[in-house]
Amino acid sequence: METVPEMFGANVFDDRQMKARLSEKVYNSLRRTIDEGKQLDISLANAVALAMKDWAVEKGATHYTHWFQPMTGVTAEKHDSFITPAPDGGVIMEFSGKELVKGEPDASSFPSGGLRATFEARGYTAWDPTSFAFIKDKTLCIPTAFCSYTGEALDKKTPLLRSMAALNTQALRILKLFGNDSVHMVRTSVGPEQEYFLVDKEMYDKRRDLIFTGRTLFGAKPPKGQEMDDHYFGIIKPRVAAFMADLNDELWKLGILAKTEHNEVAPAQHELAPIYSTTNIATDNNQLTMEIMQKVASKHGLVCLLHEKPFAGVNGSGKHNNWSIGTDTGVNLLTPGDTPYENAQFLLFLVAVIKAVDEYQDLLRLSVATAGNDHRLGANEAPPAVISIFLGDELEAVLEAIENDTAYKGEKTAKMQLGVDILPVFKKDTTDRNRTSPFAFTGNKFEFRMLGSSNSIACANIMLNSAVAEVLQGFADKLEGSSDFDKELHELIRDTIKEHKRIIFNGNGYGDEWMAEAEKRGLSNLKTTPDCMPKLLDKKNADMLISQKVYTKAELESRCEIMLENYVKAVNIEALTMSDMARKEILPAVEAYASSLAETALRKKELGADISQRYEKSVVSKLSSLADLIYDRTDVLDEATAKLKDIESIEEQGYFIRDEILPKMAALRVAADEAETMTDRKYWPFPTYGDLLFGVR
Ligand code: ADP
Ligand code: MG
């Protein structure tokens, strides 16, 4: 059997393969392309393509594809085989530099939010050489960006790369001010912790709500839920352990650093965390991880649910985006340093993040807004829809001391002088305890906890990188012209704390008191996707994203439209599925059971007047009322869904879904779930919550 180091990256054309298979000249030039973002010229691309193809064919690959991330949220691929006819009637396997660096998929079937009109459905994909090519299902996959012919981004990778470039430019300016000339590149890194549910495939196949929408639309509360807290970090069941072992192998072969796995809070819920990597790579890897999870689950007779809220009444699934900023010289800029200057530099980056999060709360919030995630944010299981930053008591005390020019209590009695004094050492342990904060400092990184489990992490990181770049730009503009650097730096940090401390909150983010307090502080509280999305086009936000060259105006408009469209479509499918299940499965089941009880009652009556039919009559009566209610509420829901297509603007459709459709779905569910509690299990048409949540052993 292969050892893990032997297996790791076996299906990746990584640096080891490049070094072994490319001439020194080609290798060095490719390395420069990767490290410095330089263009790769076509003769070099030909050499790389040849080596890549030979490697892939040796590993059994027959096809290649440009692998990209359109705005559907999942990845896309179009396979071409390597075969080229040879003069002798046979074929040879070929792959050119041109095919490596550029592809031309038909863009017309991907969401473009109005951009389509401007580019006549033609699009192209371009290789992102910083993310390694890999083999999946006998296909060489080349990570690419996806753009229209006129250059508009039609995907999530392009703006992500642009946001990383923006942050790099501005962070380098700041580092220069601190005398850091040896740094050539600043990159953000992310470690995304991924939550998911596993359910039995046979049961899943009987639930059309899971099949069509990824979540249960009906289901009475089971006798046991998560109240015993006996699942979190509990012993992993054999079937799940076998799945996890297999998953690790598959991920390792793809060079994905799967590291930690454990049971989560809800029954049947689990988590996987990789070791962090550069943001665009982490994003590619997370998309792959989600795909491989589903594939491996299916091999084990399981289904992996990535929906944010597959079950009402138990915790939903999120994704924690652990984010830091680092240099190519190996320094994490969010780590308090050893020297006074390093500390001052750390504090400047820290307050930059604080200011960025405060000024662009709405962008961060909307970057995680989907129909699925709306069920989590604001419920008492995930961070609220209000964004705040948790810093921990120690760091907050330091900032307070700077703000007020007072002594920092934990340390010496003298006032803290930036650029002169060093900071106390923060223990990670004391900074990582608040699980209710949407945005927590955890010692040397920030953990953004609002992402939904099925979200691409690209969106959140695009907003985060861009906002921080914008703030750093302002800082650099100010400091570059200063005559007394230390003094102005101190004032800048102090003033930034003063202006933005309202975003800092160390308490319980789930409490009602915090909601009241947050409102007093003027923090934004965007509860649903239709509330969020229009904010993307607010002048302040659009100006920033355009000026950082992350999005164009047209790209922003298209994103806003697509996100709303996704929301409307997702809920519309849910409403249609509910109605269908109510009419064709639930009502017939309730009727069949009621009829069998009525039959029994009649038989009993025949046996003699002294035999009671109280039980049958009572249940039949209740079920009949509930059947009427289910029937009426299904009608009401159908009427509302029918109106949807008459509403012209996508924004109005979003509000209609929020205010009219979702409440009607909830009402229908209440009646159906109550009927479930009174109906013989044998009659119930699909597996129950109890079956699903405790069915994998
Ligand atoms: P936990 O949050 O469970 O305490 P850790 O804090 O150790 O666990 O790590 C959670 C995730 O954060 C992992 O994916 C880890 O690789 C990632 N991580 C650790 N350090 C950094 C960093 N400097 N930048 C980005 N991600 C990081
Ligand atoms: Mg964590």
Side-chain angles (χ1 to χ4, degrees), residues 193 320 322 435 447:
E193 300 166 65
H320 290 175
N322 294 275
R435 294 278 162 185
E447 186 167 337

Side-chain angles (χ1 to χ4, degrees), residues 189 191 193 274-276 322 324 332 428 432 435 445 447:
S189 293
E193 300 166 65
I275 297 173
Y276 65 97
N322 294 275
S324 65
N332 177 351
K428 184 180 183 296
D432 197 21
R435 294 278 162 185
K445 62 187 188 291
E447 186 167 337

Side-chain angles (χ1 to χ4, degrees), residues 453-616:
S453 46
S454 70
N455 285 171
S456 157
I457 63 169
C459 306
N461 288 293
I462 291 167
M463 297 310 172
L464 196 49
N465 293 340
S466 311
V468 173
E470 173 82 6
V471 171
L472 290 176
Q473 180 172 22
F475 284 3
D477 288 348
K478 197 166 242 161
L479 293 173
E480 276 170 355
S482 75
S483 49
D484 185 343
F485 180 70
D486 283 355
K487 182 165 163 287
E488 289 203 29
L489 175 69
H490 188 101
E491 284 170 6
L492 179 62
I493 292 178
R494 191 194 55 209
D495 295 348
T496 309
I497 298 168
K498 268 204 178 85
E499 271 170 53
H500 298 285
K501 66 176 177 187
R502 66 169 186 166
I503 197 77
I504 298 168
F505 177 64
N506 282 345
N508 176 14
Y510 293 177
D512 290 337
E513 314 84 66
W514 167 233
M515 288 304 102
E517 164 74 14
E519 194 177 341
K520 249 190 258 156
R521 294 190 191 184
L523 301 181
S524 89
N525 187 0
L526 301 166
K527 295 207 171 71
T528 67
T529 304
D531 299 318
C532 290
M533 288 330 297
K535 302 279 175 203
L536 185 57
L537 304 177
D538 277 5
K539 185 167 169 18
K540 169 201 67 148
N541 294 332
D543 282 354
M544 182 277 278
L545 290 165
I546 293 168
S547 112
Q548 291 304 325
K549 299 196 166 49
V550 173
Y551 288 112
T552 63
K553 187 86 196 302
E555 286 169 352
L556 283 176
E557 283 163 358
S558 81
R559 257 87 192 152
C560 180
E561 189 174 321
I562 290 169
M563 299 315 286
L564 280 169
E565 239 172 51
N566 289 346
Y567 172 83
V568 169
K569 283 182 191 162
V571 182
N572 189 39
I573 293 171
E574 290 180 351
L576 295 174
T577 305
M578 273 194 109
S579 160
D580 205 57
M581 287 173 77
R583 288 188 199 286
K584 296 183 190 155
E585 297 183 63
I586 295 173
L587 283 173
V590 172
E591 286 297 284
Y593 180 52
S595 144
S596 93
L597 286 175
E599 191 72 21
T600 311
L602 282 177
R603 294 261 170 77
K604 282 187 176 177
K605 201 172 161 194
E606 283 166 15
L607 283 178
D610 58 330
I611 297 179
S612 158
Q613 302 119 38
R614 195 165 59 81
Y615 163 66
E616 291 81 5

Side-chain angles (χ1 to χ4, degrees), residues 156-368:
K156 302 194 178 195
K157 185 189 269 277
T158 308
L160 180 65
L161 292 172
R162 291 176 186 159
S163 74
M164 290 169 70
L167 186 66
N168 174 49
T169 306
Q170 303 308 332
L172 284 177
R173 286 176 69 195
I174 299 286
L175 291 181
K176 281 227 163 56
L177 289 167
F178 284 90
N180 262 321
D181 291 320
S182 55
V183 175
H184 291 104
M185 189 74 143
V186 171
R187 290 193 183 99
T188 57
S189 293
V190 171
E193 300 166 65
Q194 175 74 48
E195 291 180 339
Y196 60 97
F197 278 83
L198 287 177
V199 296
D200 186 80
K201 171 108 174 48
E202 269 182 41
M203 294 189 198
Y204 170 93
D205 285 337
K206 295 188 181 126
R207 295 224 34 155
R208 288 186 310 140
D209 46 3
L210 284 179
I211 294 173
F212 293 146
T213 73
R215 74 176 178 110
T216 54
L217 300 168
F218 296 102
K221 207 174 161 325
K224 180 179 172 178
Q226 66 188 44
E227 58 280 83
M228 301 293 287
D229 291 326
D230 55 357
H231 188 66
Y232 189 58
F233 280 26
I235 291 171
I236 298 173
K237 296 187 183 108
R239 247 177 110 187
V240 175
F243 157 85
M244 285 178 173
D246 218 5
L247 176 63
N248 279 337
D249 285 358
E250 292 306 317
L251 294 177
W252 288 337
K253 281 190 230 162
L254 286 167
I256 297 172
L257 296 150
K259 171 86 175 164
T260 316
E261 58 212 3
H262 58 78
N263 287 350
E264 260 299 327
V265 174
Q269 192 184 29
H270 313 279
E271 181 186 293
L272 174 114
I275 297 173
Y276 65 97
S277 51
T278 305
T279 305
N280 61 320
I281 296 166
T283 305
D284 288 355
N285 285 350
N286 183 249
Q287 291 297 129
L288 263 180
T289 300
M290 292 193 283
E291 180 185 329
I292 303 292
M293 276 177 162
Q294 284 165 313
K295 272 198 190 137
V296 172
S298 143
K299 273 197 233 156
H300 289 257
L302 300 166
V303 175
C304 171
L305 303 178
L306 289 167
H307 193 282
E308 282 73 18
K309 193 71 183 174
F311 302 99
V314 298
N315 272 12
S317 298
K319 187 137 57 187
H320 290 175
N321 190 83
N322 294 275
W323 175 91
S324 65
I325 319 174
T327 68
D328 59 346
T329 52
V331 177
N332 177 351
L333 298 171
L334 295 179
T335 314
D338 300 325
T339 67
Y341 259 109
E342 281 168 8
N343 278 309
Q345 184 183 291
F346 158 73
L347 284 170
L348 188 64
F349 278 99
L350 181 77
V351 298
V353 176
I354 292 172
K355 179 175 159 93
V357 172
D358 186 30
E359 288 191 339
Y360 300 100
Q361 296 162 46
D362 42 3
L363 282 182
L364 288 173
R365 169 66 185 91
L366 72 85
S367 74
V368 302

